Amino acid sequence: MSNVSQITSPDVELRVLVYSHDAGTRSRVMSALGTRPHPDLPRLHYTEVATAPVVIEHMDAGGVGLAILDGEAAPTGGLGLAKQLRDELDTCPPILVLTGRPDDRWLADWSRADAAVPHPIDPLRLREAVTVLLEDD
């Protein structure tokens, strides 16, 4: 387990950036994960973002422990944004992308995302992917 997963104090929070132009998608992600998707992980604190420039601004500023990017977001999709962040940031937190369908996993690989979960969002699958990412971080 990583340092992140060993920090289980209720006072410790991990900042999760959730990007989608669709407020419903952002809400489903946050609902699926809740404040603590696994007892070995710190509490999650969400930053909701609806536009790519604001994602870049937050990521440049630092302090994000996990980015969840909607590959179906418009006008800037999360897959291209994930690739851009990987290419441009010296230090990049784990990135999970939401793909349009399971067959789009190859796009997630191209984007250099650490994990992918397809739409519609399955809460169990999303929690499992986030837990694995944060345990490995």
Side-chain angles (χ1 to χ4, degrees), residues 19-130:
Y19 164 68
S20 179
H21 75 281
D22 181 358
T25 297
R26 294 190 310 268
S27 178
R28 283 187 290 282
V29 167
M30 294 181 298
S31 256
L33 292 175
T35 57
R36 197 169 217 160
H38 191 277
D40 290 341
L41 298 178
R43 294 181 60 80
L44 304 182
H45 170 75
Y46 297 101
T47 299
E48 291 185 68
V49 179
T51 66
V54 177
V55 169
I56 293 167
E57 185 178 302
H58 280 284
M59 297 293 277
D60 281 343
V64 174
L66 170 67
I68 300 175
L69 310 176
D70 183 6
E72 300 298 298
T76 304
L79 294 161
L81 191 52
K83 182 157 182 14
Q84 179 181 350
L85 293 169
R86 286 283 185 221
D87 290 346
E88 294 179 1
L89 294 177
D90 291 331
T91 304
C92 190
I95 297 175
L96 182 144
V97 292
L98 303 172
T99 59
R101 57 198 179 112
D103 290 344
D104 290 340
R105 177 63 211 192
W106 71 273
L107 288 168
D109 291 341
W110 166 84
S111 75
R112 298 174 48 208
D114 299 292
V117 173
H119 283 285
I121 296 167
D122 175 342
L124 293 175
R125 192 170 184 177
L126 183 61
R127 268 187 250 132
E128 179 181 318
V130 165

